[in-house]
Amino acid sequence: MTGKRPVIVQLPSPTGGRRVRVDGEILGLAHSVRDLVEFLRRAGLEIEPEEVGSSPLIDWRGMGPDRWEAETRT
């Protein structure tokens, strides 16, 4: 990844997917690591899928890259 641009991945939305922001700009609603990597690539940030969980540049809000669906309540 080049440069230091803060990446924030929000909690899953009620309908699924996680909002992704870079430098405060919303890039989109990612439904998987693959979506996240593509959003970051389009923003000029190259990162491998296996690196997203450990990258210090990504702020995972509430949970890491293994959850993309909304929490279901029973």
Side-chain angles (χ1 to χ4, degrees):
M1 186 180 290
T2 59
K4 290 190 175 188
R5 298 174 66 191
V7 177
I8 298 173
V9 181
Q10 299 291 340
L11 285 166
S13 73
T15 57
R18 298 176 77 166
R19 184 169 293 166
V20 179
R21 292 177 181 263
V22 173
D23 289 337
E25 178 184 343
I26 297 171
L27 299 184
L29 190 65
H31 291 273
S32 66
V33 169
R34 178 184 229 155
D35 290 347
L36 172 63
V37 169
E38 179 61 16
F39 288 152
L40 297 180
R41 184 192 67 76
R42 290 178 186 181
L45 301 170
E46 296 292 331
I47 187 167
E48 297 297 322
E50 58 274 1
E51 296 173 346
V52 298
S54 61
S55 174
L57 298 178
I58 300 176
D59 180 2
W60 292 94
R61 299 289 169 94
M63 57 191 67
D66 55 335
R67 287 284 312 275
W68 298 89
E69 303 84 28
E71 204 173 298
T72 56
R73 299 191 186 251
T74 56

